[in-house]
Amino acid sequence: MITSKRLAAGVCALLAALTAGIALPAGAVAGEPTGDDAPKVNLLLDVSGSMRTRDIDGGTRMAAAKQAFNEVLDATPEEVQLGIRTLGADYPGDDRRTGCKDTSQLYPVGPLDRTEAKTAVATLSPTGWTPIGPALLKAADDLDGGGGSKRIVLISDGEDTCAPLDPCEVAREIAAKGIGLTIDTLGLVPNAKLRRQLSCIAEATGGTYTSVEHVDELTDKVNELVDRAADPVVTPAPAAGADACAEAPTLAPGLYTDREEFGRQRWYRVDVLPGQELRASVSVAADRAVIPSYGLLLRAVTVHGREIVRGEAADNGRTDVLSTGLRYPRPEADDADAKPAAEAVCLQVANSFSAAAGVKATPGLPLELTVDVVDGPNGSSDVAAFGLGRGWWLLGTLVLVGFLAGLLWGWLSRWRFAVWRTN
């Protein structure tokens, strides 16, 4: 049985994620999050007729949703600008065209007045249709403007009733605009069709889907997520990768975002001193429908094109984010008195994603690149650039000792067996 407390925990969990640093990575595209402005979240609540159903602690789904919203409003961090939009709240009739336009802003996105917002929520009554697609379009418009992170949290107990406007395609169109908006979804009913639709909406924008029946340990979890909501967001810096190493920008250690077209590559450069270790990782998000079976490649090469090390990852299409990484340890300079010279290492990010039919190829896929340059292990050069380096002598010693130990043990065994047979 789904309890109202579990419902509240589910909604709180989604809300708390908005400042936890899991916003969809977005590159140098106008309108995407910079972290300079307050984060915005729009709660999108299904108020269709099915919300009258009494299957949550003997009460209606609407009553449970209202209680959950009150808890969410109490837990909302001060720095978050929050709004509430409804779908299916106003039109009780049977005209489909009118019912599929039934979405309105209950509380505008902005600084939160908890009393005013709770008063608005208290007026809600289950009424009409379930126009998820049209409501998502309006909810995205509500969040227009500002450079902070933007999130829609959709709460529904049923599938969209306004086809052919597929809400999953709507979410993909929103993602393709490159506005850095993430949609999280919450299902109030353990229904397979609802789960597939809400999961698709969330995955299209790098968001999360949660079924309330799986939310446990209410108090501890809500407290944990509310505390996490106050944590500062790590804002990636935009980096415009080049088509070749020679024109690539030089990156200092940090977190970067870019966008990469389907089946293309981006180049970046990093300076590495002798004895330092380069660590890099990359993630590419499939923020719209892509053809299954794709891969991601991260290579470190010299400026002359010789490969140093690579990291690869592949998937069959069941995930929306693909990541890989690499490590490149450089040996110390041979002459300790010589001034160390930095080596320019070129990083290549390539993908084999391809767009599904009818899907826009621009802007490119969101790419997030992490670059770090640290001192080598223990400040020594026992680990060299292309393997164990000077550590080979240790490996050789261990192999030799093992071989001699094997011979000795075999000789002792034969001797003991011979003595036993003699006796």
Side-chain angles (χ1 to χ4, degrees):
M1 182 67 67
I2 301 171
T3 66
S4 58
K5 287 186 176 181
R6 287 185 174 184
L7 173 60
V11 181
C12 285
L14 287 175
L15 176 63
L18 67 95
T19 54
I22 57 174
L24 179 68
V29 179
E32 297 197 343
T34 63
D36 297 332
D37 297 328
K40 295 180 179 180
V41 62
N42 208 4
L43 301 179
L44 180 56
L45 178 62
D46 177 358
V47 195
S48 59
S50 59
M51 292 290 283
R52 300 190 192 98
T53 305
R54 291 181 173 272
D55 61 358
I56 301 181
D57 282 353
T60 66
R61 297 170 186 170
M62 191 73 251
K66 288 182 178 180
Q67 180 179 338
F69 267 46
N70 286 335
E71 294 189 29
V72 168
L73 294 172
D74 286 335
T76 301
E78 293 293 337
E79 63 270 23
V80 175
Q81 294 191 3
L82 184 138
I84 304 173
R85 172 170 285 277
T86 62
L87 58 96
D90 301 316
Y91 177 69
D94 297 327
D95 182 72
R96 183 176 178 278
R97 179 172 296 183
T98 303
C100 288
K101 297 178 181 178
D102 185 9
T103 176
S104 60
Q105 190 73 27
L106 183 70
Y107 185 84
V109 177
L112 180 60
D113 183 322
R114 288 173 170 79
T115 301
E116 184 178 341
K118 288 181 180 180
T119 301
V121 170
T123 65
L124 294 175
S125 177
T127 302
W129 296 66
T130 313
I132 294 179
L136 285 174
L137 290 173
K138 293 291 186 179
D141 291 340
D142 297 337
L143 297 170
D144 189 34
S149 63
K150 302 172 184 178
R151 268 189 135 72
I152 295 173
V153 180
L154 167 64
I155 302 98
S156 178
D157 71 335
E159 299 173 80
D160 179 88
T161 56
C162 293
L165 186 59
D166 184 352
C168 191
E169 289 300 324
V170 169
R172 289 168 180 156
E173 289 296 321
I174 290 173
K177 292 179 181 179
I179 58 176
L181 190 155
T182 304
I183 303 174
D184 294 306
T185 59
L186 177 62
L188 308 188
V189 177
N191 176 285
K193 290 184 178 180
L194 176 63
R195 183 185 70 248
R196 283 195 294 270
Q197 185 171 85
L198 295 185
S199 295
C200 184
I201 293 171
E203 290 173 1
T205 61
T208 60
Y209 162 74
T210 304
S211 175
V212 294
E213 65 177 343
H214 299 302
V215 180
D216 298 316
E217 300 177 345
L218 174 65
T219 303
D220 290 344
K221 191 63 176 178
V222 172
N223 287 336
E224 173 191 339
L225 293 173
V226 169
D227 289 342
R228 190 190 305 172
D231 292 341
V233 177
V234 178
T235 304
D243 294 329
C245 175
E247 295 83 28
T250 299
L251 303 181
L255 181 64
Y256 299 90
T257 63
D258 200 351
R259 283 190 176 265
E260 183 171 77
E261 296 180 10
F262 289 92
R264 299 294 295 274
Q265 61 184 15
R266 303 290 272 172
W267 287 88
Y268 312 88
R269 290 164 66 117
V270 182
D271 289 334
V272 185
L273 292 170
Q276 289 186 328
E277 181 174 279
L278 167 63
R279 301 175 184 176
S281 63
V282 65
S283 297
V284 172
D287 62 354
R288 69 210 74 167
V290 298
I291 297 175
S293 298
Y294 41 76
L296 177 63
L297 171 67
L298 176 62
R299 290 201 312 151
V301 304
T302 68
V303 291
H304 303 294
R306 177 169 52 86
E307 182 175 296
I308 301 172
V309 65
R310 65 166 54 198
E312 297 176 274
D315 198 81
N316 58 8
R318 289 184 291 184
T319 183
D320 60 332
V321 177
L322 198 58
S323 304
T324 188
L326 57 81
R327 297 177 65 177
Y328 167 48
R330 264 196 84 186
E332 294 281 3
D334 294 332
D335 186 356
D337 296 329
K339 184 178 180 179
E343 173 189 7
V345 176
C346 300
L347 291 177
Q348 177 196 23
V349 179
N351 76 81
S352 60
F353 286 80
S354 55
V359 175
K360 294 181 180 179
T362 56
L365 298 173
L367 175 156
E368 184 170 282
L369 177 66
T370 302
V371 175
D372 198 10
V373 178
V374 299
D375 291 334
N378 299 322
S380 67
S381 56
D382 286 342
V383 181
F386 305 101
L388 292 173
R390 298 179 187 176
W392 279 112
W393 69 268
L394 178 59
L395 178 62
T397 300
L398 292 174
V399 171
L400 180 60
V401 170
F403 176 73
L404 295 177
L407 288 178
L408 180 60
W409 180 257
W411 179 81
L412 289 174
S413 298
R414 290 171 60 89
W415 176 76
R416 292 180 62 186
F417 181 73
V419 170
W420 175 76
R421 293 195 60 181
T422 302
N423 295 335

